[in-house]
Amino acid sequence: MTATDVPEVRTPEPRFEGRRGRWVGASIPRHEDPRLLTGRGRFVDDIALTGMLHAGFVRATVAHAHVTTIDLAATRAVGGVVAAYDAADLALGDIVALLDRPAEEFTPTAMPILAKDKVRFVGEPLAIVIARDPYAVEDGIEAAVVEYETLDAIVDEETALRATARVHDEAPDNVLLDVSMFDTPGVDEAFAHAHVTVEVTTHSGRQNALPLETRGVVASWDARDDQLLVQTCTQVPHQVRTLVARCLDVPERTVRVTVPDMGGGFGQKCVVGREEVAVAAVARRLHRPVKWIEDRREALTAGFLAREQTYRARAAFDAHGHITALDVDVVCDMGAYSCYPFTAGIEPLMASAEMPSVYRVPAYRVRGRALTSNKAPTAPYRGVSRPQYVMAIERVMEKAARALDLDPVEVRRRNVITEFPYTGVNAVTYDPGTYRESLDLAEATIRDEGWYDVRASDDRAIGIGFCCFSERTGYGSEAFAKRKMTVVPGFDLSEIRMDTTGAVVVTSGTMNHGQSHETTFAQIVADCLGIDVDRVKLRQGDTERIAYGWGTFASRSVTIGGSAVALASERLGELLCRIAAHLLETRPENVAMDGDGGVVQLDDPSRRLTYEEIADVAYLRSHLLPKDVEPALTATASFDVPGDGTFSNATHAVVVEADRGTGAIRILRYVCVEDCGVVIHPQVVDGQCRGGIAQGIAGALFEEVTYDEHGEPSAASFIDYLVPTATEIPDVSISHLETPCAFTENGAKGAGEGGTIGAPAAVLNAVNDALRHTGVELDTTPIHPRTVLSALEGGL
């Protein structure tokens, strides 16, 4: 393709600029950058403690078997090996994730820290080996003798539901969750009177979240403080503390969890892994620091995976292209165990609750099932079912457009929600968004740049695809409680304190793993107090700094954590004004923060106190304080999103070319129009969008973990697991719309997952459009070049 063949790419003008005295909305230099970009970050593997030992795991080499022998005698005899333990040696409590649902809906399963009598996937840990260096650990693992009585492996939906073998005895049908959340009146009638009925079966391949930093933990016992320090890369430090304490059967006060810098998580690290518990138990037992760092083979085969889901959807439409009913069967392969604390229900429950997406669906029926199989267990991964159910509903819209001889964008326009607040057939209330506006702008961008003309006139296989979707963000306690979780995430806490110089330290229960919290939270505080952003320091990732926190997942950090930070900052501001009024000998209502690091007297602006002057009195001359004010400039607050939470939204538009010689898909243009409410830091939001889109493209075109009939995973290295590089990911044009959120303290909605949610459907729709003359429609991701080539050659 020559330069003259490519339509001019229009880059939208930035909508946000920093304004003096107002930090929110400015792309200021990020506080984290100097440390991280110059190699001065501190990650788990950088931790080196005196006398530190190293750990590794003897892992199952078969997918499903009774364990007849675990012999660690030869392991313990290896030079450099200090100890080796199996499940009987450590005697730890199991990890059990629960839903408060009846037995006919949910079957709980216990995940032992180390497998005991049975292994359920290749890579399951059977024993832990402790040595003086990582090399001796590997030698010790090699020396272990494990013997099995092999069982048939459950590797797909068909074998699971046939129940020729059981992954868990307590789940004889290999179903851990089976829930019909909605069956509203009118479904059957709508199908009986439909002008057009469309059916689609979509399937998404199993994926690995692939954070740059693999999992890892350093645990050490301090006998002086009677405390176990667990330093780990987790998105949920407080949940790690709770589960370690419970599995070790010790008071929670004896466990402290801290998180240094973290190289990504993407949801994989928002559940508690059994390896963290095992290493903590051994460190306490040996009274020595112990480190475990997951190697890439372990990460690919034994780490938490995600995504493998199938949707069988039927939809009824009237003659005008309006959807009248939706009937969906959702099947999610959750692997060998429920993850803690979300359980195996996380994916099917998410999909069932939100499947109607951005469309007005009058009648809705859904069944959601979580299957157990002899594969590594799954955890939430960026998007959590939304990339999959959005792909299903978007394919429904595409098929309806073809059946009705309408433009696919027009079908979406006729069905998209336009009046807010809107309570859907799924009993979810959607707050105001720009569903129609984002769709119109995305289409206009593609049309104005001439891509439709290229598609019509070019002899190459070029297609245009759209995806219109919403992203529920900042799930509060009410939203999680609807799933009937026994562990209900939601709220978050914050504390802020000012020192004698007028600078502040703010704590949060959220956990940064690449989202620039140190910068965005500082912007929120700086605006609330009217101080320079460089005078704000964020502390998080330490269970002793804040009573409890739910960490970072589900795009909750700015919406919930940031709202708690804003409330705490406002309360500190009120305290500063109260002290200032006393010192200025005026009424409290006659003073206000001046936006420049001080408090001013309203009826005489010449009378003013700086925060430093107020802090000097509060700490160093406390006898001058009002009698009922304590000598501390601190404030705390909690925040929980009410009701169903808030919804960001976006439309993605993609132009692709299918190579007629190889079947490879090349993305020529990618447009994202998104609305996440008030944008705290535009550059950070753009980075979240682009990174999410890259992961979504990876799922659409490249990444997949497969298993053979014996449960052996195909991808043990990057030779077998195809990850896109920068050359496969296109430039992405991002436009921001802004509908301030009424439910958060800063007007922001979440932005962490939207890119990943929209990309698979948009790319799949574009590929199908490129194949429009072949009569072939693809409904499975990843899209393999051989499949595309076969379609182009008329072989399907």
Side-chain angles (χ1 to χ4, degrees):
M1 179 179 284
T2 65
T4 57
D5 295 323
V6 182
E8 180 183 356
V9 173
R10 191 175 63 190
T11 303
E13 292 295 319
R15 291 173 50 88
F16 300 96
E17 304 181 338
R19 297 191 295 275
R20 182 175 177 82
R22 179 173 172 79
W23 298 101
V24 168
S27 287
I28 63 173
R30 290 177 294 194
H31 289 182
E32 300 91 339
D33 284 358
R35 178 178 80 254
L36 296 177
L37 297 180
T38 59
R40 291 184 285 117
R42 184 171 181 265
F43 299 86
V44 170
D45 202 21
D46 294 321
I47 299 171
L49 303 177
T50 302
M52 188 169 69
L53 301 172
H54 297 264
F57 291 90
V58 177
R59 296 186 179 274
T61 57
V62 297
H64 197 197
H66 292 298
V67 180
T68 58
T69 301
I70 302 178
D71 187 348
L72 301 177
T75 295
R76 297 182 178 111
V78 170
V81 169
V82 173
Y85 305 106
D86 61 16
D89 296 322
L90 294 183
L92 298 170
D94 296 336
I95 298 174
V96 182
L98 297 173
L99 293 175
D100 188 18
R101 290 182 174 273
E104 61 269 21
E105 291 186 351
F106 175 69
T107 301
T109 56
M111 180 165 64
I113 304 304
L114 298 174
K116 303 170 185 175
D117 303 319
K118 189 178 184 182
V119 294
R120 295 179 172 88
F121 66 94
V122 172
E124 181 163 16
L126 286 155
I128 183 170
V129 178
I130 314 299
R132 294 187 178 89
D133 60 66
Y135 308 102
V137 169
E138 293 298 325
D139 291 339
I141 292 171
E142 288 285 336
V145 176
V146 182
E147 296 178 351
Y148 307 96
E149 181 184 305
T150 304
L151 303 170
D152 291 339
I154 302 295
V155 294
D156 54 34
E157 177 184 340
E158 182 182 357
T159 55
L161 295 179
R162 278 207 317 263
T164 55
R166 296 178 182 179
V167 180
H168 296 274
D169 289 341
E170 53 268 44
D173 56 358
N174 294 312
V175 177
L176 300 183
L177 179 93
D178 189 345
V179 176
S180 297
M181 290 183 66
F182 298 98
D183 189 353
T184 67
V187 173
D188 293 330
E189 292 82 358
F191 279 102
H193 297 95
H195 180 74
V196 164
T197 298
V198 299
E199 297 187 13
V200 60
T201 298
T202 61
H203 180 78
S204 59
R206 205 171 191 84
Q207 282 185 261
N208 194 305
L210 286 183
L212 186 62
E213 180 191 24
T214 59
R215 295 181 298 155
V217 59
V218 174
S220 53
W221 174 256
D222 189 333
R224 180 187 61 183
D225 287 342
D226 188 33
Q227 188 174 68
L228 180 64
L229 174 61
V230 180
Q231 302 178 77
T232 184
C233 50
T234 180
Q235 298 169 228
V236 288
H238 286 84
Q239 285 86 283
V240 173
R241 181 185 69 181
T242 294
L243 197 59
V244 167
R246 291 181 179 181
C247 290
L248 271 62
D249 194 23
V250 298
E252 200 162 320
R253 64 168 176 78
T254 66
V255 181
R256 177 186 183 186
V257 177
T258 65
V259 184
D261 291 319
M262 181 162 42
F266 308 120
Q268 186 191 60
K269 297 175 184 175
C270 78
V271 299
V272 185
R274 58 219 296 193
E275 292 90 350
E276 295 165 291
V277 179
V279 171
V282 169
R284 183 170 180 266
R285 184 182 185 119
L286 296 176
H287 287 198
R288 294 274 298 275
V290 179
K291 175 192 282 190
W292 171 71
I293 301 296
E294 182 182 55
D295 65 31
R296 190 57 71 178
R297 179 184 177 86
E298 289 177 301
L300 286 167
T301 59
F304 290 100
L305 302 178
R307 296 290 197 236
E308 190 172 1
Q309 300 177 18
T310 300
Y311 291 72
R312 297 173 178 88
R314 289 192 311 139
F317 286 81
D318 65 19
H320 302 289
H322 298 119
I323 190 169
T324 58
L326 181 64
D327 188 353
V328 188
D329 181 59
V330 180
V331 177
C332 304
D333 185 336
M334 302 303 292
Y337 297 100
S338 276
C339 64
Y340 180 90
F342 300 101
T343 80
I346 175 112
E347 304 279 4
L349 291 175
M350 172 82 81
S352 296
E354 300 179 21
M355 181 77 196
S357 187
V358 295
Y359 301 112
R360 298 185 299 269
V361 176
Y364 179 45
R365 176 188 294 146
V366 63
R367 179 188 185 188
R369 283 175 288 175
L371 306 185
T372 183
S373 65
N374 294 119
K375 304 173 186 175
T378 65
Y381 173 36
R382 200 173 192 173
V384 189
S385 274
R386 285 165 288 186
Q388 285 67 53
Y389 77 68
V390 165
M391 188 169 79
I393 191 69
E394 290 297 290
R395 292 299 300 141
V396 163
M397 291 296 161
E398 293 283 319
K399 289 177 182 288
R402 294 194 182 189
L404 293 162
D405 195 25
L406 291 172
D407 181 83
V409 174
E410 181 57 30
V411 171
R412 290 175 172 85
R413 282 199 187 96
R414 296 183 186 187
N415 288 283
V416 76
I417 300 166
T418 55
E419 296 180 1
F420 300 94
Y422 174 83
T423 299
V425 70
N426 53 347
V428 171
T429 299
Y430 300 76
D431 60 331
T434 51
Y435 299 175
R436 172 71 178 266
E437 295 84 349
S438 68
L439 179 62
D440 289 345
L441 181 54
E443 185 201 31
T445 302
I446 295 296
R447 191 174 298 281
D448 292 350
E449 291 178 359
W451 288 107
Y452 279 98
D453 295 334
V454 172
R455 171 182 176 271
S457 62
D458 207 301
D459 61 355
R460 292 166 300 160
I462 289 179
I464 297 172
F466 290 86
C467 175
C468 189
F469 65 95
S470 63
E471 173 195 358
R472 180 150 44 157
T473 70
Y475 291 77
S477 299
E478 290 183 50
F480 277 118
K482 284 185 177 181
R483 298 181 185 175
K484 301 184 180 180
M485 295 175 62
T486 56
V487 177
V488 183
F491 70 88
D492 238 300
L493 304 172
S494 179
E495 179 188 69
I496 187 169
R497 65 178 185 271
M498 180 174 283
D499 63 25
T500 60
T501 69
V504 298
V505 174
V506 62
T507 63
S508 173
T510 60
M511 187 60 240
N512 176 58
H513 51 279
Q515 301 92 335
S516 302
H517 289 181
E518 293 176 40
T519 306
T520 55
F521 281 35
Q523 290 175 277
I524 294 170
V525 173
D527 267 356
C528 287
L529 294 176
I531 59 177
D532 190 280
V533 73
D534 290 331
R535 293 179 67 77
V536 182
K537 179 66 178 178
L538 174 69
R539 300 289 187 189
Q540 59 182 175
D542 187 340
T543 58
E544 293 223 327
R545 286 187 176 270
I546 196 162
Y548 213 85
W550 287 104
T552 291
F553 54 87
S555 301
R556 68 187 306 275
S557 292
V558 165
T559 52
I560 297 178
S563 291
V565 164
L567 284 173
S569 301
E570 291 168 5
R571 291 175 183 176
L572 176 59
E574 293 168 0
L575 177 59
L576 290 166
C577 286
R578 185 178 177 190
I579 296 172
H582 175 77
L583 297 176
L584 293 170
E585 298 180 329
T586 188
R587 305 180 313 279
E589 60 269 22
N590 192 36
V591 299
M593 292 182 288
D594 63 5
D596 194 25
V599 177
V600 65
Q601 185 168 314
L602 297 178
D603 62 2
D604 184 1
S606 65
R607 303 193 70 204
R608 176 182 183 274
L609 291 173
T610 66
Y611 291 160
E612 188 171 358
E613 290 170 329
I614 299 170
D616 182 79
V617 170
Y619 291 115
L620 305 180
R621 293 183 290 159
S622 58
H623 63 287
L624 298 178
L625 290 172
K627 296 301 182 184
D628 58 346
V629 173
E630 296 181 353
L633 295 181
T634 64
T636 60
S638 66
F639 184 81
D640 196 348
V641 172
D644 294 319
T646 186
F647 288 81
S648 298
N649 69 270
T651 295
H652 291 192
V654 183
V655 183
V656 305
E657 179 183 3
D659 190 294
R660 292 190 180 277
T662 66
I665 300 298
R666 179 187 175 199
I667 299 176
L668 305 178
R669 185 73 169 107
Y670 204 111
V671 173
C672 168
V673 181
E674 74 85 36
D675 184 347
C676 63
V678 172
V679 177
I680 306 297
H681 191 297
Q683 187 181 40
V684 168
V685 172
D686 287 355
Q688 288 286 304
C689 290
R690 290 190 173 99
I693 287 168
Q695 288 182 308
I697 291 172
L701 298 177
F702 299 98
E703 296 182 14
E704 184 177 23
V705 177
T706 60
Y707 292 78
D708 68 16
E709 67 273 20
H710 305 296
E712 183 71 29
S714 63
S717 73
F718 286 136
I719 295 174
D720 306 301
Y721 190 76
L722 188 60
V723 180
T725 68
T727 60
E728 286 82 37
I729 302 300
D731 290 335
V732 177
S733 171
I734 300 172
S735 298
H736 298 288
L737 303 177
E738 184 176 303
T739 307
C741 179
F743 302 131
T744 61
E745 292 297 314
N746 44 49
K749 306 176 183 181
E753 299 176 279
T756 315
I757 294 169
V763 171
L764 180 60
N765 285 334
V767 171
N768 276 304
D769 189 48
L771 300 177
R772 61 192 177 278
H773 301 307
T774 69
V776 173
E777 291 191 62
L778 306 179
D779 295 310
T780 295
T781 57
I783 304 164
H784 297 293
R786 63 180 179 273
T787 305
V788 174
L789 183 60
S790 181
L792 291 170
E793 294 177 343
L796 285 179

